[in-house]
Amino acid sequence: MEVISFAALAAGLIIGLGALGACIGIGIMGSKYLEAAARQPELMGELQTKMFVLAGLIDAAFIIGTGIALWFATANPFLAQIGRLVK
């Protein structure tokens, strides 16, 4: 395999595992929010605000990971150095 194929494979893994982790995290957080809102309905507004802030942070982490993966896939700064080591 060529070095560029490893960069594409790594980018796919970063995006795929990042999406999986973000989906699982938001799912668990949503279920805990519903549990807490069912137990104490008077705190629903405060909990909802915190849930949306956390959902934004989880999505931001995934989007940053996707951006880094796409950057490595298109303009990998390490590609020339790895290519010299392989040869």
Side-chain angles (χ1 to χ4, degrees):
M1 290 178 78
E2 291 187 29
V3 178
I4 192 74
S5 62
F6 288 125
L9 184 63
L13 284 173
I14 290 171
I15 293 171
L17 293 176
L20 181 68
C23 289
I24 290 172
I26 288 180
I28 291 172
M29 182 185 60
S31 71
K32 296 298 181 180
Y33 164 71
L34 289 175
E35 278 182 30
R39 287 184 185 174
Q40 293 183 332
E42 66 273 4
L43 294 177
M44 197 167 174
E46 184 179 331
L47 291 172
Q48 186 177 17
T49 303
K50 291 178 182 179
M51 186 195 75
F52 282 129
V53 168
L54 288 174
L57 290 174
I58 291 170
D59 281 341
F62 166 65
I63 291 171
I64 289 170
T66 301
I68 290 171
L70 292 176
W71 175 54
F72 280 147
T74 57
N76 192 342
F78 305 114
L79 194 58
Q81 295 173 357
I82 295 172
R84 279 187 245 140
L85 291 175
V86 173
K87 290 181 183 179

